[in-house]
Amino acid sequence: MRHFGHISPTVRKDLFHQEPVEFTAASPSRLLAAALGATLYSPATRPHLAADIRKQAARGVLSMVLCLEDSISDAEVGSGETNLIRQFEALGEQDDELPLLFIRVRTPEQIPDLVRRLGGTARHLAGFVLPKFTESRGTAFLDAVAEAESRHGLSRLYAMPVLETPDLLHLETRVEALAGISRTVNRHREHVLALRLGVTDFCSAYGLRRTPDMTAYDVQIVAGVIADVVNVLSRADGTGFTVTGPVWEYFRSQQRLFKPQLRRSPFLEEGVEELRTALIEHDLDGLLREIELDRANGLMGKTCIHPAHVTPVHALSVVSHEEFSDAQDILRPERGGGGVMRSAYTNKMNEVKPHRAWAERTMLRAEVFGVAREEVGFVDLLTAGLQV
């Protein structure tokens, strides 16, 4: 697998100063967590799920969650499990064309049962998504993942807990809830690939829903929780986990209250004003702004519920040539003692010690998403991804 691997080598060469690396499910967890990118959710009940998985892989999707939880009704859980077993069999023998596949379960007991029923096709499974994760619920979930991995001789099953419960939202319980989650995931660090945010559930606790003109960061009670999750669980001192961005739930145009947030100038410069119009009509300008805010607030990757969201997430994940230049300068061995310098682009100050953690994170993103050529921008990357 590699990001932008679905576009031709010739086009990639024109776009990238440094192309994204190839990786597999056996790659180091730090690399895999950064490489999740746009994780596409799909109900486990879809009748042609195996074909859908291969189709999305051909369009650049590298991680998917097959959901047995909130995306289906309580009455559909049994049929959803049966369908998953059948669809994994339909995926066949070839692993190299598949994204990382995770199953979102409801209870810990489902985990060993599903792995047992999957039999040999469990080799297609990267792990499980664990909903409504708390300290008390989380231990049973993570123990079940470890047990299923060991009992069935699998090389590695990962877990992605979803942080979405009211005790994280409520001010009087948030500190202890976060401390408990931290204790739990640290005890099972070798299995926890990334932490996901259930912002829809956060909003639900207060009867809120953001509009297509607003990001999660415009809903202050949600923004506060995201900040605290990053504060406790995603520190850059080696103890933190990757935390992924919240879902963008809009994909069709509705009547606007506010003017579009997507600037015209990059599209006019590239002569693709019609692409800007299409993005606005599909409410994706708000998504683009939220992706930028995700990264500014320490999140990496994003939960997606529509294929149209995948390419924008990946295009905005590519490291710009300017970011790469700054990170390289900061991390030069001779800079180990610190100091400050003007950037190669002569438009900012690079201070070695304070900016080091940012530079290391940027270089990890550069490894999995690549570095754009100096003259290549987001519009070029987006256009190339959409043309496939």
PDB file of all heavy atoms in Angstrom, residues 11-29:
ATOM      1  N   VAL A  11       2.432  10.607 -13.118  1.00  0.00           N
ATOM      2  CA  VAL A  11       1.783  11.741 -12.446  1.00  0.00           C
ATOM      3  C   VAL A  11       2.386  11.954 -11.065  1.00  0.00           C
ATOM      4  O   VAL A  11       2.640  13.091 -10.643  1.00  0.00           O
ATOM      5  CB  VAL A  11       0.258  11.511 -12.356  1.00  0.00           C
ATOM      6  CG1 VAL A  11      -0.404  12.613 -11.525  1.00  0.00           C
ATOM      7  CG2 VAL A  11      -0.359  11.447 -13.746  1.00  0.00           C
ATOM      8  N   ARG A  12       2.638  10.854 -10.336  1.00  0.00           N
ATOM      9  CA  ARG A  12       3.250  10.984  -9.011  1.00  0.00           C
ATOM     10  C   ARG A  12       4.600  11.684  -9.099  1.00  0.00           C
ATOM     11  O   ARG A  12       4.939  12.524  -8.267  1.00  0.00           O
ATOM     12  CB  ARG A  12       3.422   9.608  -8.359  1.00  0.00           C
ATOM     13  CG  ARG A  12       2.177   9.036  -7.734  1.00  0.00           C
ATOM     14  CD  ARG A  12       2.504   8.043  -6.620  1.00  0.00           C
ATOM     15  NE  ARG A  12       3.471   7.049  -7.027  1.00  0.00           N
ATOM     16  CZ  ARG A  12       3.158   5.894  -7.615  1.00  0.00           C
ATOM     17  NH1 ARG A  12       1.887   5.602  -7.861  1.00  0.00           N
ATOM     18  NH2 ARG A  12       4.095   5.022  -7.938  1.00  0.00           N
ATOM     19  N   LYS A  13       5.363  11.307 -10.103  1.00  0.00           N
ATOM     20  CA  LYS A  13       6.687  11.915 -10.252  1.00  0.00           C
ATOM     21  C   LYS A  13       6.587  13.415 -10.470  1.00  0.00           C
ATOM     22  O   LYS A  13       7.428  14.184  -9.984  1.00  0.00           O
ATOM     23  CB  LYS A  13       7.415  11.252 -11.426  1.00  0.00           C
ATOM     24  CG  LYS A  13       8.860  11.710 -11.590  1.00  0.00           C
ATOM     25  CD  LYS A  13       9.550  10.949 -12.712  1.00  0.00           C
ATOM     26  CE  LYS A  13      10.991  11.414 -12.870  1.00  0.00           C
ATOM     27  NZ  LYS A  13      11.686  10.687 -13.964  1.00  0.00           N
ATOM     28  N   ASP A  14       5.566  13.844 -11.185  1.00  0.00           N
ATOM     29  CA  ASP A  14       5.374  15.274 -11.435  1.00  0.00           C
ATOM     30  C   ASP A  14       4.893  16.013 -10.190  1.00  0.00           C
ATOM     31  O   ASP A  14       5.138  17.212 -10.035  1.00  0.00           O
ATOM     32  CB  ASP A  14       4.357  15.484 -12.559  1.00  0.00           C
ATOM     33  CG  ASP A  14       4.908  15.081 -13.924  1.00  0.00           C
ATOM     34  OD1 ASP A  14       6.149  15.020 -14.073  1.00  0.00           O
ATOM     35  OD2 ASP A  14       4.097  14.816 -14.834  1.00  0.00           O
ATOM     36  N   LEU A  15       4.200  15.309  -9.303  1.00  0.00           N
ATOM     37  CA  LEU A  15       3.608  15.944  -8.129  1.00  0.00           C
ATOM     38  C   LEU A  15       4.539  16.009  -6.927  1.00  0.00           C
ATOM     39  O   LEU A  15       4.502  16.967  -6.147  1.00  0.00           O
ATOM     40  CB  LEU A  15       2.336  15.198  -7.710  1.00  0.00           C
ATOM     41  CG  LEU A  15       1.121  15.279  -8.620  1.00  0.00           C
ATOM     42  CD1 LEU A  15       0.030  14.353  -8.105  1.00  0.00           C
ATOM     43  CD2 LEU A  15       0.601  16.715  -8.699  1.00  0.00           C
ATOM     44  N   PHE A  16       5.384  14.979  -6.780  1.00  0.00           N
ATOM     45  CA  PHE A  16       6.088  14.813  -5.510  1.00  0.00           C
ATOM     46  C   PHE A  16       7.583  15.068  -5.611  1.00  0.00           C
ATOM     47  O   PHE A  16       8.269  14.538  -6.489  1.00  0.00           O
ATOM     48  CB  PHE A  16       5.857  13.394  -4.966  1.00  0.00           C
ATOM     49  CG  PHE A  16       4.463  13.164  -4.451  1.00  0.00           C
ATOM     50  CD1 PHE A  16       3.517  12.534  -5.246  1.00  0.00           C
ATOM     51  CD2 PHE A  16       4.094  13.606  -3.192  1.00  0.00           C
ATOM     52  CE1 PHE A  16       2.229  12.323  -4.773  1.00  0.00           C
ATOM     53  CE2 PHE A  16       2.808  13.412  -2.715  1.00  0.00           C
ATOM     54  CZ  PHE A  16       1.872  12.763  -3.500  1.00  0.00           C
ATOM     55  N   HIS A  17       8.063  15.850  -4.674  1.00  0.00           N
ATOM     56  CA  HIS A  17       9.506  15.985  -4.431  1.00  0.00           C
ATOM     57  C   HIS A  17      10.019  14.709  -3.764  1.00  0.00           C
ATOM     58  O   HIS A  17      11.109  14.226  -4.076  1.00  0.00           O
ATOM     59  CB  HIS A  17       9.746  17.203  -3.533  1.00  0.00           C
ATOM     60  CG  HIS A  17      11.135  17.318  -2.997  1.00  0.00           C
ATOM     61  ND1 HIS A  17      12.192  17.737  -3.758  1.00  0.00           N
ATOM     62  CD2 HIS A  17      11.643  17.036  -1.754  1.00  0.00           C
ATOM     63  CE1 HIS A  17      13.299  17.739  -3.025  1.00  0.00           C
ATOM     64  NE2 HIS A  17      12.993  17.308  -1.811  1.00  0.00           N
ATOM     65  N   GLN A  18       9.231  14.168  -2.840  1.00  0.00           N
ATOM     66  CA  GLN A  18       9.506  12.880  -2.190  1.00  0.00           C
ATOM     67  C   GLN A  18       8.210  12.092  -2.169  1.00  0.00           C
ATOM     68  O   GLN A  18       7.233  12.516  -1.552  1.00  0.00           O
ATOM     69  CB  GLN A  18      10.028  13.102  -0.765  1.00  0.00           C
ATOM     70  CG  GLN A  18      10.201  11.825   0.046  1.00  0.00           C
ATOM     71  CD  GLN A  18      10.636  12.116   1.472  1.00  0.00           C
ATOM     72  OE1 GLN A  18      11.697  12.689   1.716  1.00  0.00           O
ATOM     73  NE2 GLN A  18       9.803  11.749   2.430  1.00  0.00           N
ATOM     74  N   GLU A  19       8.176  10.956  -2.839  1.00  0.00           N
ATOM     75  CA  GLU A  19       6.933  10.201  -2.937  1.00  0.00           C
ATOM     76  C   GLU A  19       6.611   9.494  -1.615  1.00  0.00           C
ATOM     77  O   GLU A  19       7.512   9.183  -0.826  1.00  0.00           O
ATOM     78  CB  GLU A  19       7.028   9.169  -4.065  1.00  0.00           C
ATOM     79  CG  GLU A  19       7.051   9.786  -5.448  1.00  0.00           C
ATOM     80  CD  GLU A  19       6.841   8.744  -6.536  1.00  0.00           C
ATOM     81  OE1 GLU A  19       6.188   7.716  -6.253  1.00  0.00           O
ATOM     82  OE2 GLU A  19       7.313   8.984  -7.659  1.00  0.00           O
ATOM     83  N   PRO A  20       5.323   9.206  -1.366  1.00  0.00           N
ATOM     84  CA  PRO A  20       4.948   8.437  -0.178  1.00  0.00           C
ATOM     85  C   PRO A  20       5.594   7.051  -0.208  1.00  0.00           C
ATOM     86  O   PRO A  20       5.760   6.456  -1.280  1.00  0.00           O
ATOM     87  CB  PRO A  20       3.423   8.330  -0.298  1.00  0.00           C
ATOM     88  CG  PRO A  20       3.021   9.444  -1.207  1.00  0.00           C
ATOM     89  CD  PRO A  20       4.152   9.620  -2.160  1.00  0.00           C
ATOM     90  N   VAL A  21       5.931   6.538   0.976  1.00  0.00           N
ATOM     91  CA  VAL A  21       6.544   5.215   1.049  1.00  0.00           C
ATOM     92  C   VAL A  21       5.469   4.133   0.922  1.00  0.00           C
ATOM     93  O   VAL A  21       4.285   4.367   1.165  1.00  0.00           O
ATOM     94  CB  VAL A  21       7.308   5.016   2.378  1.00  0.00           C
ATOM     95  CG1 VAL A  21       8.432   6.022   2.504  1.00  0.00           C
ATOM     96  CG2 VAL A  21       6.353   5.077   3.572  1.00  0.00           C
ATOM     97  N   GLU A  22       5.895   2.946   0.568  1.00  0.00           N
ATOM     98  CA  GLU A  22       5.023   1.782   0.619  1.00  0.00           C
ATOM     99  C   GLU A  22       5.031   1.219   2.039  1.00  0.00           C
ATOM    100  O   GLU A  22       6.037   1.320   2.749  1.00  0.00           O
ATOM    101  CB  GLU A  22       5.486   0.719  -0.375  1.00  0.00           C
ATOM    102  CG  GLU A  22       5.322   1.127  -1.823  1.00  0.00           C
ATOM    103  CD  GLU A  22       5.661  -0.005  -2.782  1.00  0.00           C
ATOM    104  OE1 GLU A  22       6.340  -0.962  -2.346  1.00  0.00           O
ATOM    105  OE2 GLU A  22       5.250   0.069  -3.948  1.00  0.00           O
ATOM    106  N   PHE A  23       3.914   0.641   2.455  1.00  0.00           N
ATOM    107  CA  PHE A  23       3.841   0.024   3.775  1.00  0.00           C
ATOM    108  C   PHE A  23       2.869  -1.141   3.719  1.00  0.00           C
ATOM    109  O   PHE A  23       2.100  -1.301   2.766  1.00  0.00           O
ATOM    110  CB  PHE A  23       3.422   1.043   4.844  1.00  0.00           C
ATOM    111  CG  PHE A  23       2.062   1.660   4.630  1.00  0.00           C
ATOM    112  CD1 PHE A  23       0.932   1.118   5.220  1.00  0.00           C
ATOM    113  CD2 PHE A  23       1.907   2.790   3.825  1.00  0.00           C
ATOM    114  CE1 PHE A  23      -0.324   1.666   5.017  1.00  0.00           C
ATOM    115  CE2 PHE A  23       0.659   3.351   3.631  1.00  0.00           C
ATOM    116  CZ  PHE A  23      -0.461   2.793   4.224  1.00  0.00           C
ATOM    117  N   THR A  24       2.909  -1.963   4.753  1.00  0.00           N
ATOM    118  CA  THR A  24       2.004  -3.105   4.865  1.00  0.00           C
ATOM    119  C   THR A  24       1.424  -3.129   6.276  1.00  0.00           C
ATOM    120  O   THR A  24       1.830  -2.338   7.142  1.00  0.00           O
ATOM    121  CB  THR A  24       2.738  -4.433   4.620  1.00  0.00           C
ATOM    122  OG1 THR A  24       3.615  -4.698   5.738  1.00  0.00           O
ATOM    123  CG2 THR A  24       3.556  -4.391   3.334  1.00  0.00           C
ATOM    124  N   ALA A  25       0.516  -4.064   6.502  1.00  0.00           N
ATOM    125  CA  ALA A  25      -0.066  -4.209   7.840  1.00  0.00           C
ATOM    126  C   ALA A  25       0.979  -4.606   8.867  1.00  0.00           C
ATOM    127  O   ALA A  25       0.758  -4.449  10.077  1.00  0.00           O
ATOM    128  CB  ALA A  25      -1.190  -5.243   7.808  1.00  0.00           C
ATOM    129  N   ALA A  26       2.127  -5.107   8.411  1.00  0.00           N
ATOM    130  CA  ALA A  26       3.203  -5.504   9.316  1.00  0.00           C
ATOM    131  C   ALA A  26       4.192  -4.370   9.590  1.00  0.00           C
ATOM    132  O   ALA A  26       5.148  -4.558  10.349  1.00  0.00           O
ATOM    133  CB  ALA A  26       3.947  -6.706   8.734  1.00  0.00           C
ATOM    134  N   SER A  27       3.986  -3.191   9.012  1.00  0.00           N
ATOM    135  CA  SER A  27       4.873  -2.054   9.245  1.00  0.00           C
ATOM    136  C   SER A  27       4.779  -1.603  10.705  1.00  0.00           C
ATOM    137  O   SER A  27       3.811  -1.924  11.398  1.00  0.00           O
ATOM    138  CB  SER A  27       4.508  -0.900   8.314  1.00  0.00           C
ATOM    139  OG  SER A  27       4.724  -1.238   6.958  1.00  0.00           O
ATOM    140  N   PRO A  28       5.768  -0.867  11.194  1.00  0.00           N
ATOM    141  CA  PRO A  28       5.725  -0.394  12.578  1.00  0.00           C
ATOM    142  C   PRO A  28       4.450   0.379  12.874  1.00  0.00           C
ATOM    143  O   PRO A  28       3.941   1.114  12.018  1.00  0.00           O
ATOM    144  CB  PRO A  28       6.964   0.501  12.677  1.00  0.00           C
ATOM    145  CG  PRO A  28       7.894  -0.018  11.624  1.00  0.00           C
ATOM    146  CD  PRO A  28       7.022  -0.484  10.506  1.00  0.00           C
ATOM    147  N   SER A  29       3.929   0.235  14.089  1.00  0.00           N
ATOM    148  CA  SER A  29       2.643   0.832  14.437  1.00  0.00           C
ATOM    149  C   SER A  29       2.669   2.356  14.324  1.00  0.00           C
ATOM    150  O   SER A  29       1.665   2.967  13.964  1.00  0.00           O
ATOM    151  CB  SER A  29       2.220   0.415  15.843  1.00  0.00           C
ATOM    152  OG  SER A  29       3.203   0.775  16.799  1.00  0.00           O
TER     153      SER A  29
END
